[in-house]
Amino acid sequence: MKLLITGGCGFIGSNFIHYILKKYSNYEIVNLDALTYAGNLENLKELENDSRYEFIKGDITDEKLVNKLVKKSDIIVHFAAESHVDRSILSSGDFIKTNINGTHILLEAVKSASRRNGNKRFHHISTDEVFGSLKPKSPAFNENTPYDPRSPYSASKAASDHLVRAYFHTYDLPITISNCSNNYGRYQFPEKLIPLFVTNLIEGKKIPVYGDGGNIRDWLHVEDHCRAIDEIIHNGKIGETYCVGGNSEKTNMEITRAILKIMGKKNREIEYIKDRPGHDRRYAIDFSKIKKELGWEPKISFEDGMRETVEWYKNNKKWWRSIKSGKYQEYYKEQYGSPE
Ligand code: NAD
Ligand code: DAU
């Protein structure tokens, strides 16, 4: 089986490549990644000499390259995206280009390659943020929840989901979509809540909580997410969407306190700062469809997953220090005022 992975040098994509090559000895993977600020070859260093793995530096908006790679693959798993909400608020052009135009170019390539040499399965990785913000007592998002994206990031992901579904209805393209909640684990870029707070605490810096810290997210260990994608690309029904969640709704203050406790730090490390504009209050996922149809459910408890994740960042300082000391400083300054 030949898999084309887009965005495989990012957080979830790199975890997925490790997961697949460990589980399936006869699978081959081509990883197409533009190496934006979020892409990191270090995440896949152990695979450099693995003959089943090939890295291609390139952009998903490069039509010629995408056509060539899609032709040679059986399954395409599309992770590549601009993924950070705060960056989409500062500047959204790249979100439109990659998340919408890039997905469109991939769909066109799958459409023309499928005509010539059989169907190519296309799996689109999406997010629960396309559904908008839940009230405290509202039922969790499921596959029938109407779309209501509220940030430039989630709007661009919503547009890409609609395109993928339109290509199924119009051209019979063999697609599946998954909408997942917040992931955490190794190789997550330290701009996101959990790795930012853990690495700031190791560095002796404050941890910046937006607003009152009462916003709720559902948290899923990245390995559980990889297992869900594995199930969907092999056994998921063509044309279907699957909501994937961790059964672990937490306020940002609960996350913050859990990190402080694991790291033996005090509440005085917290700095309450100006809220994110348009900050969605609550996300929650009802994953009963994927549980019933594919037998998937999360296995890693938040407590175990968090302890393991904190350990990973403590043991891999070189990985995140090289990110934090580089160009990332410019973004950090723009987002949080001062780097120190
Ligand atoms: P990430 O930002 O860590 O990685 C994105 C990767 O895509 C990087 O390697 C980057 O170099 C690459 N990329 C960006 N633009 C590209 C382009 N034009 N061409 C080729 N490669 C490009 O992202 P992530 O957190 O791993 O998220 C992966 C996917 O999962 C995204 O589609 C995101 O919307 C979705 N998602 C993420 C989460 C989460 O909690 N992180 C949750 C649900 C869904
Ligand atoms: O829900 C899935 C989404 O989860 C994915 O689609 C996105 O790609 C991913 O980035 C993530 O989006 P969030 O905006 O929820 O993640 P982030 O880690 O940026 O923020 C999580 C929560 O923590 C959110 O309520 C904002 C808050 N926060 C975040 C940062 C970076 C803070 O309070 N302080 C911070 O410094």
Side-chain angles (χ1 to χ4, degrees):
M1 191 69 75
K2 290 186 166 58
L3 264 62
L4 172 63
I5 307 292
T6 70
C9 294
F11 163 47
I12 308 175
S14 60
N15 276 286
F16 185 70
I17 291 174
H18 283 295
Y19 172 94
I20 288 288
L21 290 179
K22 197 167 156 198
K23 181 163 173 191
Y24 302 100
S25 59
N26 58 342
Y27 277 30
E28 290 169 22
I29 286 185
V30 171
N31 170 16
L32 172 64
D33 196 297
L35 294 182
T36 67
Y37 79 92
N40 192 341
L41 287 174
E42 287 296 313
N43 302 4
L44 297 155
K45 213 171 169 46
E46 296 149 48
L47 298 174
E48 268 172 7
N49 298 317
D50 191 321
S51 58
R52 300 171 300 159
Y53 171 72
E54 185 185 0
F55 169 65
I56 294 180
K57 182 172 187 292
D59 203 294
I60 57 164
T61 59
D62 178 341
E63 246 177 277
K64 213 170 139 197
L65 176 63
V66 166
N67 279 326
K68 190 175 101 187
L69 297 178
V70 163
K71 260 188 215 153
K72 295 193 229 162
S73 334
D74 302 308
I75 304 177
I76 296 100
V77 189
H78 176 34
F79 293 92
E82 286 296 332
S83 69
H84 194 38
V85 176
D86 292 322
R87 285 186 191 253
S88 82
I89 293 166
L90 293 173
S91 166
S92 54
D94 285 345
F95 289 73
I96 306 304
K97 183 172 167 255
T98 290
N99 301 1
I100 306 178
N101 296 345
T103 303
H104 178 241
I105 283 165
L106 276 158
L107 288 166
E108 278 293 311
V110 177
K111 187 179 90 183
S112 56
S114 292
R115 275 205 198 114
R116 284 189 209 103
N117 54 353
N119 277 350
K120 314 267 175 200
R121 216 181 154 119
F122 181 83
H123 182 65
H124 180 60
I125 305 291
S126 193
T127 169
D128 59 0
E129 301 205 8
V130 296
F131 300 122
S133 187
L134 287 168
K135 299 252 177 317
K137 296 237 160 29
S138 300
F141 302 131
N142 66 29
E143 292 76 7
N144 299 315
T145 305
Y147 276 38
D148 183 22
R150 293 148 47 96
S151 73
Y153 163 69
S154 55
S156 69
K157 292 296 289 186
S160 67
D161 291 13
H162 288 317
L163 276 171
V164 175
R165 230 169 261 126
Y167 272 64
F168 166 69
H169 291 295
T170 311
Y171 305 110
D172 256 343
L173 223 67
I175 62 93
T176 42
I177 300 176
S178 50
N179 295 88
C180 185
S181 56
N182 287 56
N183 284 216
Y184 67 98
R186 65 177 179 165
Y187 301 131
Q188 187 168 30
F189 196 91
E191 65 191 350
K192 306 281 163 58
L193 178 76
I194 289 177
L196 176 71
F197 281 19
V198 171
T199 58
N200 270 15
L201 288 170
I202 296 172
E203 288 177 302
K205 289 184 189 165
K206 294 275 186 212
I207 50 176
V209 171
Y210 296 163
D212 64 0
N215 301 68
I216 295 171
R217 298 288 181 270
D218 170 62
W219 293 92
L220 178 72
H221 192 280
V222 66
E223 189 81 6
D224 276 332
H225 188 189
C226 292
R227 257 193 323 106
I229 301 165
D230 179 15
E231 277 303 330
I232 298 168
I233 62 174
H234 290 102
N235 304 312
K237 201 166 151 218
I238 295 299
E240 294 290 315
T241 292
Y242 296 91
C243 282
V244 179
N247 204 16
S248 185
E249 270 189 69
K250 308 236 176 273
T251 64
N252 292 337
M253 282 317 296
E254 286 172 317
I255 299 290
T256 303
R257 280 194 290 268
I259 295 172
L260 288 169
K261 190 167 171 213
I262 294 172
M263 298 188 68
K265 301 277 183 181
K266 298 267 184 306
N267 283 353
R268 60 170 176 263
E269 308 301 340
I270 300 172
E271 185 177 19
Y272 292 92
I273 65 166
K274 198 165 139 270
D275 208 353
R276 173 186 277 176
H279 198 174
D280 287 342
R281 194 65 180 169
R282 176 178 164 235
Y283 304 144
I285 289 262
D286 170 357
F287 57 85
S288 47
K289 176 176 171 179
I290 186 170
K291 185 174 176 188
K292 187 162 165 248
E293 292 185 12
L294 304 179
W296 178 91
E297 61 184 324
K299 280 188 181 160
I300 302 171
S301 73
F302 180 75
E303 291 67 30
D304 290 349
M306 272 304 296
R307 252 189 299 277
E308 174 225 274
T309 301
V310 169
E311 269 317 289
W312 190 85
Y313 285 94
K314 277 186 179 167
N315 294 331
N316 289 276
K317 293 196 185 86
K318 206 168 144 231
W319 182 87
W320 55 263
R321 275 199 171 129
S322 67
I323 296 171
K324 280 188 128 178
S325 61
K327 263 195 98 189
Y328 173 64
Q329 284 286 326
E330 289 164 27
Y331 162 76
Y332 197 93
K333 215 169 176 173
E334 196 172 355
Q335 181 64 18
Y336 298 104
S338 150
E340 302 298 333

